[in-house]
Amino acid sequence: MTSGMIADSIVNLCGAIGLGVAMITLHRRDPKGPLTRRLLVALGIIALLFLVRGTAWWSGSAGLNNLSAIPAALIPLGALIVTEGILRRHAPRPAKIALLSGGIALGLAGAAGLETLAMPAAILLALFQLGGFAICAWLLATRDRATLMVSENRIVSRLAVGAILVIPFIVTDFRVLFPDIPVRLGALGALLVVTAILIAERGAETQRQALMMTALRLSSSALLGIAAAFVAPDADAAQVMRFCAIAIAGVLTIGLMVDALRAHFESQVPGVLNSVAASPARTRDALIAELARHPIFESARRYRESELSGYDPQLLRDFLSTRRVLRQPDAPWGLTSSDPAVERVVSLLAANSATHLIVLSHDPVDVITLAVPVISADPATETALALLRRLLALTPEAT
């Protein structure tokens, strides 16, 4: 088995695993959504193609390689199914019949494995796939934008950009037509697309963070591939490209698996906001008692005005009237360090080895000191604390 065939096998197996993980993630997010079901069908067809091809090339099985023509020919039909789901209307009947009948015919012809038809079948399959994608693009481009929501029109625009970017990757899969390509990159293109799909379903800020992490994964894995290629004494441009493709495909697949596993663990152990949302507590005291069970609130201590006589409650009232959550690293909070109110709050935090002061009420003074571990001190935690403060302030003292 040549180095090119090994690289093709690894990249395709990574693509199959990555798409499988993406399918699990999408199903977990929206198990009964109509568009999700259509996406799962399309991704399932593509994942099956990568799995059969990767296994066939690794094992040298000509039979499995021939059978891979069936899912390859059905990819345009899967794309049409997703297009219908996005547009929320049926595609023209002739287009459905053409893609279904053409997919079956080309799949069976490829599965027959006739050597004399290898080149014509590859050309027809490439033209058929491109034609199927062109039909889907035409349906999306001529859609009635007024019938779709702004978010749905945005999804269509992103899919159009993704389709344009992934076509060069798909073309490399037809080695019969392009024998000099060092490695097939269709599976790598699919991994990039599903990564982008999963990122697009997040909030704006989370999207930016995910894009930055994905860019870091791509750049670092490409550098790793280049470095690994030069371990071999006969490294050339083709070998460098193969190592880069393997490294990027592997890192993207690992990233998808890690993200899916992290989401699973987080769903098993609810966060502090989820704990509050599910809490049956009806009073502030009961809700604070519920929060005390959460790890981040283990060190929390509540102070009412009667317990703050040594910190000049009258002075604290004026200082806390315009503040909600105070972070010790932000001291002196826009004032001078010698300000009497600042000195008292800093002293209160130091006495409890606390990093945060949550203000439930300024008149009468009612606060919570809290020590947030450095490993948990991130923007998400700060946002959660701000939301918790609002919830606690709105919760009545007694029913």
Side-chain angles (χ1 to χ4, degrees), residues 5-336:
M5 194 66 71
I6 294 173
D8 290 342
S9 302
I10 295 174
V11 172
N12 274 263
L13 291 175
C14 285
I17 296 170
L19 264 62
V21 173
M23 291 171 65
I24 295 172
T25 301
L26 291 171
H27 183 268
R28 179 183 55 79
R29 290 183 180 179
D30 186 17
K32 297 183 180 179
L35 181 57
T36 301
R37 288 197 293 266
R38 292 171 179 268
L39 272 172
L40 293 180
V41 171
L43 291 177
I45 293 173
I46 301 172
L48 179 62
L49 168 65
F50 295 151
L51 178 62
V52 174
R53 286 198 317 192
T55 305
W57 295 335
W58 189 267
S59 63
S61 173
L64 280 177
N65 190 39
N66 294 336
L67 287 175
S68 67
I70 296 176
L74 293 177
I75 288 177
L77 180 62
L80 185 65
I81 291 173
V82 174
T83 301
E84 286 184 326
I86 294 173
L87 298 178
R88 288 188 272 114
R89 64 182 178 87
H90 288 287
R93 191 177 183 85
K96 288 184 177 181
I97 295 174
L99 293 184
L100 178 60
S101 58
I104 294 174
L106 286 174
L108 294 177
L114 299 178
E115 288 293 333
T116 55
L117 298 178
M119 180 63 75
I123 295 174
L124 285 175
L125 181 57
L127 293 175
F128 179 70
Q129 287 186 347
L130 293 176
F133 295 149
I135 291 174
C136 295
W138 177 78
L139 291 173
L140 293 172
T142 57
R143 70 189 184 279
D144 184 0
R145 288 171 170 78
T147 63
L148 300 179
M149 296 183 294
V150 175
S151 59
E152 292 175 321
N153 282 309
R154 189 182 303 118
I155 290 173
V156 172
S157 300
R158 288 171 177 170
L159 283 176
V161 174
I164 293 173
L165 294 176
V166 81
I167 285 177
F169 292 90
I170 296 174
V171 171
T172 63
D173 279 358
F174 295 93
R175 183 162 283 174
V176 175
L177 304 178
F178 305 98
D180 296 328
I181 291 178
V183 58
R184 294 177 172 95
L185 299 174
L188 180 57
L191 285 172
L192 291 172
V193 170
V194 296
T195 301
I197 290 174
L198 296 177
I199 291 175
E201 292 192 358
R202 304 177 183 179
E205 182 62 27
T206 311
Q207 280 185 22
R208 285 191 288 270
Q209 296 172 357
L211 285 172
M212 291 176 62
M213 290 189 291
T214 301
L216 177 61
R217 287 173 179 173
L218 292 175
S219 58
S220 58
S221 58
L223 291 174
L224 177 63
I226 294 173
F230 284 100
V231 173
D234 56 344
D236 54 13
Q239 197 74 341
V240 169
M241 186 174 179
R242 294 185 189 107
F243 272 86
C244 285
I246 292 173
I248 294 174
V251 168
L252 287 177
T253 302
I254 293 170
L256 289 170
M257 291 191 293
V258 169
D259 292 343
L261 193 59
R262 182 191 297 117
H264 172 72
F265 288 154
E266 290 176 352
S267 67
Q268 299 300 311
V269 182
V272 63
L273 289 179
N274 291 336
S275 300
V276 172
S279 172
R282 295 180 177 273
T283 65
R284 187 180 295 176
D285 288 338
L287 190 54
I288 292 174
E290 288 278 345
L291 287 173
R293 301 174 185 174
H294 196 277
I296 201 172
F297 272 82
E298 287 178 343
S299 63
R301 181 177 176 184
R302 184 181 183 184
Y303 286 92
R304 291 182 172 87
E305 186 165 313
S306 59
E307 302 171 277
L308 295 170
S309 57
Y311 294 92
D312 195 346
Q314 178 60 47
L315 189 63
L316 291 178
R317 285 194 206 112
D318 296 335
F319 176 74
L320 299 177
S321 62
T322 58
R323 292 168 173 83
R324 301 295 176 260
V325 179
L326 296 175
R327 297 175 65 249
Q328 194 278 334
D330 295 337
W333 307 290
L335 302 176
T336 62

